[in-house]
Amino acid sequence: TQLLEQSPQFLSIQEGENLTVYCNSSSVFSSLQWYRQEPGEGPVLLVTVVTGGEVKKLKRLTFQFGDARKDSSLHITAAQTGDTGLYLCAGEGTGRRALTFGSGTRLQVQP
Amino acid sequence: DAGVTQSPTHLIKTRGQQVTLRCSPISGHKSVSWYQQVLGQGPQFIFQYYEKEERGRGNFPDRFSARQFPNYSSELNVNALLLGDSALYLCASSLDPGRGAYEQYFGPGTRLTVT
């Protein structure tokens, strides 16, 4: 069974601060995706990383896939209140094409 | 273009009853997957269908079943509902699960409450 552990579970910061969310596993993933979910809505895809060591940037968000494709991080620079939400990482396992999700990091950005 | 649509939005059922949830994928997407998201947790994989055939099944009891129709829409059925089935049920569509990175696009979900 492939598991993804996310940390921290909860994060409350002030607007303008930087933060990093981690997603770790003992398993290798073919690809890893990050989603953001608002209350009562479905997850929205932010980015997909495929190659070990890959770094992708989406405005103030920087995503990195570990060299061994077992872990990933999401870094937000100068957080804004609009960044508030649940951030989920999800790994595509080898063999079966289903996503394994982490339990999420709930981010609250205070004005 | 319309995204993934799900119906109903909310549903309240009694223990022991049966429920059917519906999903329409993004136009051109041939694969539909179902996930269960319990409050405070990440989504858990239930089923994946591609071209009307089941391609994957998660660790859920036989009370859960699904099917995909020729127009690629899908239904998820849950029989003999338990209190623990209360959750947000998410449908996700994708182009072709056999090629490239497996990017899925989620609908807004159906909130099922079992009393």
Side-chain angles (χ1 to χ4, degrees):
Chain A
T1 303
Q2 296 178 309
L3 295 174
L4 274 170
E5 293 186 0
Q6 278 189 246
S7 61
Q9 284 185 289
F10 301 96
L11 197 52
S12 182
I13 61 172
Q14 296 295 125
E15 205 169 21
E17 292 184 8
N18 302 332
L19 67 119
T20 302
V21 176
Y22 299 94
C23 179
N24 295 294
S25 176
S26 58
S27 303
V28 175
F29 291 98
S30 302
S31 68
L32 195 135
Q33 296 158 32
W34 285 91
Y35 293 83
R36 187 170 79 189
Q37 186 176 24
E38 304 289 344
E41 298 180 10
V44 175
L45 180 64
L46 296 174
V47 77
T48 299
V49 285
V50 179
T51 307
E54 182 176 5
V55 177
K56 280 192 174 179
K57 291 191 175 183
L58 184 66
K59 297 183 180 178
R60 294 174 295 99
L61 278 61
T62 301
F63 305 86
Q64 184 163 10
F65 203 11
D67 292 340
R69 291 186 290 134
K70 293 182 179 181
D71 54 85
S72 181
S73 64
L74 157 61
H75 183 78
I76 301 179
T77 303
Q80 300 177 355
T81 55
D83 295 327
T84 293
L86 178 68
Y87 289 82
L88 294 158
C89 64
E92 175 195 349
T94 55
R96 187 182 72 179
R97 301 213 66 170
L99 293 179
T100 298
F101 278 85
S103 55
T105 294
R106 188 161 298 281
L107 172 65
Q108 177 72 43
V109 182
Q110 308 284 352
Chain B
D1 283 342
V4 177
T5 59
Q6 291 186 245
S7 63
T9 306
H10 296 88
L11 205 51
I12 300 175
K13 290 285 189 178
T14 305
R15 270 183 304 176
Q17 286 188 316
Q18 174 263 341
V19 67
T20 298
L21 311 181
R22 295 176 176 82
C23 170
S24 291
I26 292 171
S27 177
H29 284 193
K30 298 180 179 180
S31 178
V32 168
S33 296
W34 287 95
Y35 291 81
Q36 180 196 65
Q37 186 175 23
V38 174
L39 198 61
Q41 297 182 17
Q44 277 199 294
F45 172 71
I46 310 175
F47 286 110
Q48 180 197 94
Y49 277 79
Y50 176 67
E51 293 277 17
K52 296 174 289 181
E53 290 190 5
E54 182 182 304
R55 285 290 188 89
R57 172 186 285 254
N59 189 24
F60 280 80
D62 292 343
R63 299 184 296 107
F64 289 76
S65 64
R67 55 179 175 168
Q68 187 177 32
F69 299 98
N71 67 353
Y72 304 112
S73 66
S74 177
E75 286 183 352
L76 174 70
N77 295 285
V78 186
N79 293 322
L81 285 167
L82 303 174
L83 295 179
D85 295 331
S86 295
L88 181 67
Y89 287 85
L90 295 162
C91 173
S93 77
S94 60
L95 279 168
D96 176 355
R99 292 187 296 173
Y102 192 29
E103 294 186 342
Q104 296 193 312
Y105 298 88
F106 285 83
T110 293
R111 171 70 62 189
L112 172 65
T113 302
V114 182
T115 62

